[in-house]
Amino acid sequence: MKRILLTGMSGAGKSTLVDALAALGYAAVDADCDAYSQWIEVSAGSDVPGTPVEPDRDWVWREDRIQELLSDEAGDMLFLSGCASNMGRFLPQFDHVVLLSAPADVILQRLAERTGNSYGQRPEEAARVLELMESVEPLLRRAADHEIDTSAPLDVVIMRVLQIAAQEKSP
């Protein structure tokens, strides 16, 4: 089975894309939910990589559940969307890592207008997303095999993701 990680900052369109892929019949999972992610307490000197969402806690992948998902050989293809400080441990298991990005003004507009997930609607959260675009997005870019600007229409983004998924694994 091919495994494709769709990652990026909050507001980049990960959930929208994975929902659209699922609606088309693909195995597509949004890891940004309680089934696959959890809040953990962190402290100074913690071994959790990256910048925690809050000073004393971070939203991370449930490693056992993500591993179970990635180990399942049923089906031809799995799209997993998410971005967490501990996701680096899983990168070698993906055939493709796709960074979804968009200009800051598009991200901010999406955060302000999103429904179903209120993260990014408070000014301090939106400011954090902008900070992470400067500090974390370059790290994601280096880890990614591909990058897609999601300010393009959704059908164009879907087409590009499916083209990437059809390719052989990057060396």
Side-chain angles (χ1 to χ4, degrees):
M1 172 182 3
K2 279 194 171 176
R3 294 160 189 83
I4 297 91
L5 174 62
L6 306 170
T7 192
M9 299 289 94
S10 295
K14 299 181 300 292
S15 297
T16 299
L17 178 58
V18 83
D19 288 349
L21 290 166
L24 292 171
Y26 292 96
V29 175
D30 187 346
D32 192 18
C33 66
D34 292 338
Y36 294 102
S37 295
Q38 65 186 344
W39 286 105
I40 62 165
E41 291 185 28
V42 295
S43 59
S46 171
D47 66 348
V48 176
T51 308
V53 175
E54 297 177 2
D56 59 348
R57 65 185 197 145
D58 201 6
W59 181 248
V60 299
W61 284 357
R62 293 177 183 261
E63 295 185 11
D64 58 335
R65 294 182 184 177
I66 296 291
Q67 186 57 61
E68 182 179 331
L69 186 64
L70 294 176
S71 296
D72 187 352
E73 290 296 328
D76 295 330
M77 198 172 309
L78 169 68
F79 294 95
L80 178 67
S81 72
C83 186
S85 57
N86 62 337
M87 74 179 199
R89 297 174 182 155
F90 299 97
L91 293 180
Q93 296 181 61
F94 289 98
D95 294 281
H96 300 286
V97 177
V98 180
L99 173 61
L100 304 177
S101 62
D105 60 325
V106 172
I107 296 281
L108 291 174
Q109 180 178 355
R110 288 177 180 169
L111 292 173
E113 296 173 355
R114 72 188 340 185
T115 59
N117 178 355
S118 64
Y119 183 78
Q121 294 182 341
R122 295 191 338 228
E124 63 273 15
E125 293 168 344
R128 181 175 187 274
V129 171
L130 291 176
E131 289 172 15
L132 293 175
M133 287 179 74
E134 296 295 321
S135 61
V136 173
E137 192 173 61
L139 301 175
L140 295 175
R141 190 168 282 116
R142 284 197 290 274
D145 306 301
H146 308 275
E147 183 171 357
I148 298 174
D149 182 344
T150 61
S151 61
L154 181 58
D155 60 332
V156 171
V157 174
I158 292 168
M159 181 185 65
R160 182 66 185 123
V161 166
L162 293 175
Q163 288 171 341
I164 290 167
Q167 297 174 7
E168 291 302 313
K169 184 174 181 168
S170 301

